[in-house]
């Protein structure tokens, strides 16, 4: 049974930082591309970043390039999203995702950027 459990969200001021974590189980984590998505109120769920199975290749949405970093620890079955210089427009629910025969999502973690 595939499980993805996100953590690390919260309320932060503009310019601040947060580190999201996603603990994965139920599939061969080290063989799968992992991704982070986000969904703001009233908007579609958008891809934020993805990372290859070895961690050697990463991709980012233009809106977060230079501010966010995706990484993974294949020994801990965990993927991370380090978010720096946060902006109010980064406010959203952030989801971890994997495609393993079909798409799976975590329950999401709320990130709110506000002064």
């Amino acid at each position: 049974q595939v499980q993805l459990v996100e953590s690390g969200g919260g309320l932060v001021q503009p310019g601040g930082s947060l580190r999201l974590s996603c603990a994965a189980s139920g599939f061969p984590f080290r063989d799968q591309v992992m991704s982070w998505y986000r969904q703001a109120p009233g908007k579609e769920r958008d891809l934020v970043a993805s990372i290859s199975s070895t961690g050697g290749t990463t991709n980012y949405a233009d809106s977060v390039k230079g501010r966010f970093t995706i990484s993974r620890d294949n020994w801990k079955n965990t993927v991370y999203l380090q978010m720096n210089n946060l902006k109010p427009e980064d406010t959203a629910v952030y989801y971890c995702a994997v495609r393993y025969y079909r798409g799976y999502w975590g329950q999401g973690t709320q990130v709110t950027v506000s002064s």
Side-chain angles (χ1 to χ4, degrees):
Q1 179 182 357
V2 173
Q3 285 194 320
L4 301 169
V5 180
E6 301 97 336
S7 61
L11 173 63
V12 63
Q13 292 187 344
S17 298
L18 283 174
R19 188 194 196 202
L20 306 183
S21 299
C22 171
S25 60
F27 65 96
F29 178 82
R30 63 181 60 246
D31 295 335
Q32 307 304 318
V33 172
M34 298 298 299
S35 301
W36 285 97
Y37 285 75
R38 68 185 181 186
Q39 187 167 21
K43 295 189 176 182
E44 295 184 350
R45 192 172 296 188
D46 293 325
L47 178 66
V48 175
S50 61
I51 186 167
S52 63
S53 58
T54 63
T57 300
T58 56
N59 291 287
Y60 298 92
D62 287 343
S63 58
V64 307
K65 281 181 182 176
R67 300 187 298 121
F68 290 12
T69 303
I70 189 171
S71 62
R72 65 190 295 161
D73 186 332
N74 284 348
W75 293 105
K76 294 183 178 179
N77 283 11
T78 302
V79 61
Y80 305 96
L81 187 67
Q82 177 67 44
M83 306 185 295
N84 298 329
N85 191 22
L86 283 159
K87 304 176 180 180
E89 52 263 41
D90 295 318
T91 295
V93 179
Y94 284 71
Y95 298 90
C96 177
V98 66
R99 177 161 291 278
Y100 181 62
Y101 295 104
R102 69 168 182 86
Y104 292 90
W105 303 90
Q107 83 288 351
T109 186
Q110 176 70 46
V111 172
T112 302
V113 185
S114 175
S115 55

